[in-house]
Amino acid sequence: MSEEKTRDAQIRVEMEVLKRYGLRWAVLAAWTDELRTRGATLPAGLPGRLEAARVKISSGCFSSCEVGCDLAAIEAALVPADAAGDANSVNFWLDLLSRAMEDDDAMERLLKVPAVRVHYAGCGFGRCA
C-alpha cells in the first residue's frame, strides 16, 4: 500500500473513532447535567474539562488517543460523584457510554445533548502523549 493510501486509511480510522467520541462526550455532558440537576457535588474544573474535550473533538486536530484520555478522566470524575448520592445511576450511564462506542445512531436520539461533530482540519493527528 502506498504511503498516501496508508495515511488516508489512518485518517478514516481516526475520524470514525472521533465521531464515536463525539457521542461519548454527549453522554458525559448529559450525565453531568443530570448530576447538577440532582444537586450532586461535582469535581472542580469539570465544566472546563468537558469544554476542552469538546473543542478537541470538533477541531479534528487531536488524536483519538488524546481525546480518549480526556474523556476517560471525565468519566473517572463522574463515577464517584454519582455513586456518592442517593440516586446512584452509575450503571445506567456506564451502559450508555459503552453503547456510544458502538455504531448506534439511535443512541444519539435518546440524549438531550447533541453529539460533537468532527471536522477534519487537515492538520494531522499527533502521537499519544
Side-chain angles (χ1 to χ4, degrees), residues 77-101:
L78 290 175
V79 169
D82 192 347
D86 294 335
N88 181 338
S89 59
V90 172
N91 289 334
F92 169 78
W93 290 105
L94 292 178
D95 181 55
L96 284 182
L97 286 170
S98 68
R99 288 183 59 197
M101 292 310 293

Side-chain angles (χ1 to χ4, degrees), residues 51-119:
E51 178 62 12
R54 185 193 65 75
V55 168
K56 285 181 179 181
I57 295 166
S58 66
S59 75
C61 288
F62 293 85
S63 71
S64 59
C65 180
E66 185 170 351
V67 171
C69 289
D70 290 350
L71 296 178
I74 294 166
E75 179 183 339
L78 290 175
V79 169
D82 192 347
D86 294 335
N88 181 338
S89 59
V90 172
N91 289 334
F92 169 78
W93 290 105
L94 292 178
D95 181 55
L96 284 182
L97 286 170
S98 68
R99 288 183 59 197
M101 292 310 293
E102 299 169 0
D103 198 12
D104 188 359
D105 292 333
M107 229 279 290
E108 186 173 358
R109 291 189 293 272
L110 297 173
L111 300 171
K112 292 186 277 185
V113 179
V116 177
R117 302 290 180 234
V118 181
H119 304 283

Side-chain angles (χ1 to χ4, degrees), residues 2 5 12-13 17-18 23 33 36 41-42 45 50-52 58 68-69 81 83 95 101 105 111 115 127:
S2 74
K5 285 184 181 182
R12 279 193 303 279
V13 168
V17 173
L18 288 170
L23 186 53
D33 287 346
R36 268 195 207 114
T41 302
L42 296 173
L50 268 169
E51 178 62 12
S58 66
C69 289
D95 181 55
M101 292 310 293
D105 292 333
L111 300 171
R127 297 193 187 280

